[in-house]
Amino acid sequence: MLELRHLRTLIALDETGSISLAAQRVHLTQSALSHQIRALQEYYQLPIIQRSGHVVRLTDAGKRLVKLAEKVLGEVQSTERDLAKISQQAAGNLRIVLECHTCFDWLMPIMDNFRQHWPEVELDLVSGFHSDPVALLRQGAADVVIGSENKLQQGIVHFPLFRFEILAVLAPGHALGSKKVLEADDFTQDVLITYPVPEERIDLIRQVLMPAGVSWQRRTTELTVAILQLVASRRGIAALPGWGIKNYLDYEYVIARRIGAEGLWSDLYLSVREQDASLRYLQDFLKTIDQVCFARLDGIRPLSVQGSRKKLKEKRKK
């Protein structure tokens, strides 16, 4: 019979179009997910998915079940919010630090949505660039950090959000635009425009340029739109998440190229104090990020939860 886990699987398949990515999303093996689909198809005596190589598409029957899933899971989440309020877990603070400043684009609608459901939770952004964002959690100056940090730290829990690709951003007609893929040496030819953060926190520098032993020139600015304006006016090149530049690519304001044959990928986590990790409104915030980002952001991939769970268990044993 149809269960909530089946509904979550169907939504994951619809949004990823891939058995492997959907399995990662719902924390199953590929064989376990395939077994779920076979069981549903046998129960309803209808095909639910169609495969074309590695791409999966839902049939009309599958799409109908997805509509049901969206409605039912939405009601479940709404009921869980109500229960949290009944149990007096509806008030608190979420002061958010963003290490990835292109996250503003997708985070603002999520915050607006969250405020409607949790009006008694004070939601705010901690402004500025911070050399050690997670330290703000320990100091009590912030409640949530969204960034790349996932090192094991006493009293801190890191929830995986997703993986995303960082693309090289160039002006239309740039000499490097003739290449499909950029390598480390290509970044020595122009000024690298970044946010004003330490170089060791910039993925391109840490993962590509430093290991290759190449030199680079750097210029900084605080706003994403300013970076793109400088790139478009041929003041330099940049490296930004694919979702953060999609509209600019669509309007041909800038162009983008992959960095390295396999691409330059970064992982995004939500970090909190361990004592806050089970708060109902925080868990709802995480669910909303998952739902909105996988439905709306292009090119993101599920990020395994296993490592974070293992780390949390190890800390609790200590």
Side-chain angles (χ1 to χ4, degrees), residues 158-288:
H158 306 291
F159 292 99
L161 297 180
F162 51 79
R163 302 198 77 201
F164 62 93
E165 186 171 8
I166 298 171
L167 299 172
V169 188
L170 316 167
H174 194 287
L176 292 173
S178 61
K179 303 185 66 172
K180 292 183 178 180
V181 175
L182 300 192
E183 305 294 345
D185 288 341
D186 295 319
F187 291 90
T188 66
Q189 302 178 27
D190 213 331
V191 175
L192 178 62
I193 305 171
T194 75
Y195 297 108
V197 297
E199 292 185 344
E200 61 271 15
R201 284 176 49 201
I202 298 174
D203 293 285
L204 173 65
I205 293 176
R206 186 180 69 252
Q207 298 184 42
V208 179
L209 303 187
M210 292 182 69
V214 301
S215 60
W216 62 89
Q217 300 179 63
R218 183 184 175 207
R219 173 176 179 174
T220 66
T221 185
E222 293 191 1
L223 301 176
T224 303
V225 65
I227 291 177
L228 291 164
Q229 287 173 347
L230 289 169
V231 168
S233 60
R234 298 179 179 274
R235 306 291 183 85
I237 59 178
L240 294 169
W243 81 72
I245 59 174
K246 185 180 184 302
N247 290 338
Y248 297 91
L249 295 177
D250 291 343
Y251 286 100
E252 299 181 347
Y253 187 69
V254 293
I255 61 175
R257 295 293 181 266
R258 172 163 275 194
I259 302 171
E262 301 299 323
L264 174 59
W265 292 84
S266 186
D267 299 338
L268 201 63
Y269 295 84
L270 184 146
S271 304
V272 299
R273 290 180 292 272
E274 187 171 358
Q275 66 264 30
D276 296 335
S278 61
L279 290 170
R280 295 290 180 85
Y281 59 79
L282 177 62
Q283 291 296 320
D284 190 66
F285 188 64
L286 275 164
K287 286 183 181 178
T288 304

Side-chain angles (χ1 to χ4, degrees), residues 106 109-110 113 287-297:
W106 57 259
I110 289 172
N113 178 278
K287 286 183 181 178
T288 304
I289 290 176
D290 181 81
Q291 293 164 357
V292 172
C293 289
F294 279 97
R296 298 182 184 178
L297 298 184

